[in-house]
Amino acid sequence: MPTAVKPHRRKATHSGAGREVVPAEVTMAMTGQSSCSSMSNHTKERVTMAKVTLENFYSNLIAQHEEREMRQQKLEKVMDQEGLVDEEKRIRRSQHARKETEFLRLKRTRLGLEDFESLKVIGRGAFGEVRLVQKKDTGHVYAMKILRKADMLEKEQVGHIRAERDILVEADSLWVVKMFYSFQDKMNLYLIMEFLPGGDMMTLLMKKDTLTEEASQFYIAETVLAIDSIHQLGFIHRDIKPDNLLLDSRFGYVILFEFTRAHRTEFYKNLNHSLPSDFTFNNMNSKRKAETWKRNRRQLAFSTVGTPDYIAPEVFMQNGYNKLCDWWSLGVIMYEMLIGYPPFCSETPQETYRKVMNWQETLTFPPEVPISEKAKDLILRFCCEEEHRIGATGVEDIKGNAFFEGVDYDHIRERPAAIPIEIKSIDDTSNFDEFPDSDILQPTAAPVVSNHSEADLKNKDWVFINYTYKRFEGLTARGAIPSYMKTGKR
């Protein structure tokens, strides 16, 4: 190559600290000065990377300005509602300005894994794990969700993890787990969320044979409000199951968690829709079914396929679905609470799939576990054809169901927990399973994947751009970091 060309190719479109240097070749391609047909795949990849980087840089600047304006407007509205006098408003504005300055400083600070001390593994799934961690500079205790990038790419879960991150950013709700930070490194994605030592609904159900109808009414009513809160944001959860219903240890209320749909529904789609053939399991009585279910439940939860017990049939059909699929899942959970196992459980995921797809024949109630007609009717209204499903006309249809008679939805969080949860400290993990430590945080722990080489994974890393997030600690539904999170081990 002639030496005269080299300086031209190295010319940068930007200069200055912290900005990515974009080769002139890429700039020419972005501005139409070079024919796309003559570009190599590597150059096309660089073009896409540069385009996404620049677009995100400027869109973030605009978004930060708009968010700051919205927070200021929200502050003024709150002060007017509280009827503050001018001097009180001046003090409040000054406090808010200091918070904004601190937040701007925080945004400029690069957060990484080295800022947290890992205390214990408290959850493990198909694509990563959840750890109890402590932020080194403050002592605050959090739950850190770790997801392997290679697995996200290999299993085509990038869109789902992006959706989860976006939901947690937008959902300033009492019913959704609060995310404080998100960041990434070469190997993993990290979500830093509030730690709820009460555990999850799956753990509670594993400890109990069944729940009373009064307790089930409490948890189902709260989950209705939780699901509706994300529906109002325009999201569908698609993975409502006991594992993803966290329990606040102080009040016992339900908080939604885990918005990454890790189920591989394509695993099932080549199976025929014949009736189930696990006759041994079908001939068991309710007690033996419950025992078998509990024995297999953990293994299913941690598999790469996931448990299909709570997935609505229209999701499997892959012909399109809407938010009503979440209400089907809630009906399955209600059945499990009252009967002791979900209605379609089998000894294999394939048989469970067949039962779900043939729910008109397989959704039955064992006579040896009697439940009220009101409870049975609501379950059947959740688990039915999509067009006839309760909730199709709005959440008020569900809230007004006879099963919820006497529920005060406006003050439900002031009601004592149906089942009290005891914890000894903020870092008490007794309500979680025991997991051995892993090497997911080690640089050498990169999983070997079949369809992507290491170089290929590096080239595709741009799909995780703009993943970083830091929450503004003020004027949120649950306010700043709760005081109970600030008491951790030093």
Side-chain angles (χ1 to χ4, degrees):
M1 180 181 294
T3 56
V5 176
K6 291 184 179 180
H8 176 70
R9 289 178 57 85
R10 292 178 180 175
K11 183 179 178 182
T13 59
H14 290 283
S15 62
R19 295 186 178 179
E20 182 176 350
V21 176
V22 183
E25 175 189 62
V26 174
T27 307
M28 290 171 63
M30 292 176 64
T31 56
Q33 297 177 37
S34 176
S35 172
C36 252
S37 60
S38 65
M39 287 193 296
S40 66
N41 288 335
H42 175 73
T43 300
K44 291 178 182 178
E45 189 82 16
R46 292 296 302 275
V47 168
T48 304
M49 291 171 60
K51 182 175 183 291
V52 171
T53 300
L54 291 172
E55 286 178 349
N56 276 281
F57 176 79
Y58 289 107
S59 64
N60 283 341
L61 287 180
I62 295 171
Q64 288 174 23
H65 175 74
E66 292 175 345
E67 289 167 3
R68 185 163 185 155
E69 289 293 319
M70 288 176 61
R71 289 193 292 265
Q72 186 66 43
Q73 293 171 11
K74 186 174 181 179
L75 173 66
E76 297 296 331
K77 182 178 179 180
V78 169
M79 291 192 298
D80 288 340
Q81 290 174 345
E82 294 177 358
L84 301 184
V85 299
D86 290 345
E87 179 60 20
E88 291 173 329
K89 287 184 177 181
R90 185 191 65 78
I91 295 173
R92 186 76 68 85
R93 290 189 188 104
S94 178
Q95 293 171 341
H96 179 79
R98 283 198 297 271
K99 286 183 179 180
E100 287 285 4
T101 301
E102 292 170 3
F103 183 58
L104 186 59
R105 187 179 300 114
L106 176 65
K107 293 274 284 186
R108 291 170 176 168
T109 303
R110 187 177 182 86
L111 196 65
L113 189 60
E114 64 278 1
D115 295 297
F116 298 88
E117 178 186 356
S118 177
L119 303 179
K120 188 177 183 180
V121 179
I122 58 175
R124 185 162 287 146
F127 302 113
E129 64 187 31
V130 180
R131 292 186 175 223
L132 179 68
V133 299
Q134 185 173 33
K135 199 162 185 290
K136 294 178 180 178
D137 61 345
T138 63
H140 299 165
V141 176
Y142 300 97
M144 173 189 281
K145 182 176 179 180
I146 308 164
L147 295 167
R148 294 180 291 263
K149 286 184 176 180
D151 284 345
M152 293 294 100
L153 290 167
E154 177 71 12
K155 308 302 180 185
E156 298 182 350
Q157 293 291 315
V158 174
H160 297 314
I161 185 59
R162 171 65 67 174
E164 175 179 36
R165 182 260 187 204
D166 292 345
I167 291 173
L168 293 176
V169 167
E170 292 189 36
D172 178 21
S173 170
L174 296 171
W175 301 103
V176 177
V177 66
K178 188 172 183 178
M179 183 179 75
F180 293 96
Y181 314 105
S182 62
F183 58 91
Q184 61 180 297
D185 57 25
K186 184 173 69 173
M187 303 308 306
N188 302 314
L189 303 174
Y190 304 91
L191 298 169
I192 307 299
M193 298 171 288
E194 63 180 317
F195 170 57
L196 297 167
D200 58 40
M201 182 60 66
M202 181 179 73
T203 302
L204 183 64
L205 292 177
M206 295 283 281
K207 291 178 180 178
K208 307 285 185 180
D209 289 332
T210 58
L211 301 186
T212 65
E213 290 203 11
E214 181 182 8
S216 298
Q217 181 199 63
F218 174 80
Y219 291 120
I220 295 298
E222 289 212 321
T223 309
V224 166
L225 297 179
I227 293 173
D228 182 55
S229 71
I230 63 167
H231 286 177
Q232 289 184 32
L233 290 172
F235 293 105
I236 305 172
H237 193 291
R238 300 181 295 186
D239 198 18
I240 298 293
K241 57 184 179 181
D243 320 47
N244 295 337
L245 304 180
L246 298 183
L247 302 176
D248 183 279
S249 61
R250 298 171 299 155
F251 307 113
Y253 50 65
V254 169
I255 297 177
L256 286 181
F257 173 63
E258 186 74 65
F259 294 86
T260 308
R261 187 168 63 94
H263 298 297
R264 298 176 62 191
T265 53
E266 71 274 10
F267 177 82
Y268 308 95
K269 64 183 179 182
N270 291 326
L271 300 176
N272 64 55
H273 292 181
S274 61
L275 289 173
S277 59
D278 57 338
F279 296 113
T280 302
F281 190 86
N282 288 339
N283 292 331
M284 293 180 184
N285 61 29
S286 295
K287 183 177 180 180
R288 288 190 62 196
K289 278 187 178 180
E291 290 172 350
T292 303
W293 167 248
K294 288 181 180 180
R295 187 169 60 249
N296 296 337
R297 182 62 170 86
R298 297 296 185 187
Q299 183 179 353
L300 288 172
F302 306 144
S303 70
T304 57
V305 175
T307 171
D309 288 85
Y310 308 94
I311 302 177
E314 63 264 25
V315 176
F316 283 123
M317 294 174 69
Q318 299 182 349
N319 293 326
Y321 52 86
N322 56 34
K323 65 183 180 181
L324 295 177
C325 69
D326 288 339
W327 299 128
W328 169 285
S329 302
L330 187 56
V332 175
I333 293 173
M334 182 176 172
Y335 184 107
E336 182 176 358
M337 287 179 175
L338 296 172
I339 304 300
Y341 51 87
F344 311 111
C345 68
S346 302
E347 291 192 317
T348 67
Q350 294 89 338
E351 294 297 344
T352 298
Y353 164 78
R354 291 191 178 100
K355 285 185 177 182
V356 172
M357 300 308 295
N358 291 276
W359 61 269
Q360 293 93 336
E361 290 79 29
T362 58
L363 179 53
T364 59
F365 295 87
E368 64 269 25
V369 187
I371 63 174
S372 71
E373 288 301 316
K374 289 181 180 179
K376 187 181 296 185
D377 175 72
L378 180 56
I379 291 171
L380 291 175
R381 294 203 63 195
F382 277 133
C383 298
C384 65
E385 295 92 349
E386 189 177 3
E387 59 270 22
H388 299 141
R389 196 170 301 160
I390 192 170
T393 60
V395 72
E396 295 302 322
D397 188 24
I398 301 175
K399 292 164 69 174
N401 185 269
F403 180 75
F404 296 118
E405 183 179 359
V407 173
D408 183 358
Y409 288 98
D410 293 332
H411 301 93
I412 194 168
R413 290 207 161 205
E414 299 170 14
R415 172 181 170 180
I419 300 175
I421 297 173
E422 296 183 3
I423 62 167
K424 298 176 182 178
S425 63
I426 181 54
D427 54 1
D428 182 359
T429 58
S430 59
N431 292 307
F432 293 84
D433 284 341
E434 291 290 330
F435 295 92
D437 205 355
S438 73
D439 60 355
I440 192 172
L441 299 180
Q442 301 301 318
T444 57
V448 178
V449 291
S450 58
N451 296 335
H452 298 281
S453 65
E454 184 176 348
D456 190 31
L457 291 174
K458 184 178 179 181
N459 290 336
K460 291 181 179 295
D461 196 59
W462 64 269
V463 301
F464 300 108
I465 197 170
N466 203 30
Y467 188 80
T468 301
Y469 171 76
K470 292 167 185 169
R471 181 175 292 278
F472 178 78
E473 288 304 321
L475 298 174
T476 64
R478 285 196 248 168
I481 296 177
S483 58
Y484 70 89
M485 291 179 61
K486 298 180 181 179
T487 307
K489 295 186 297 186
R490 290 282 185 174

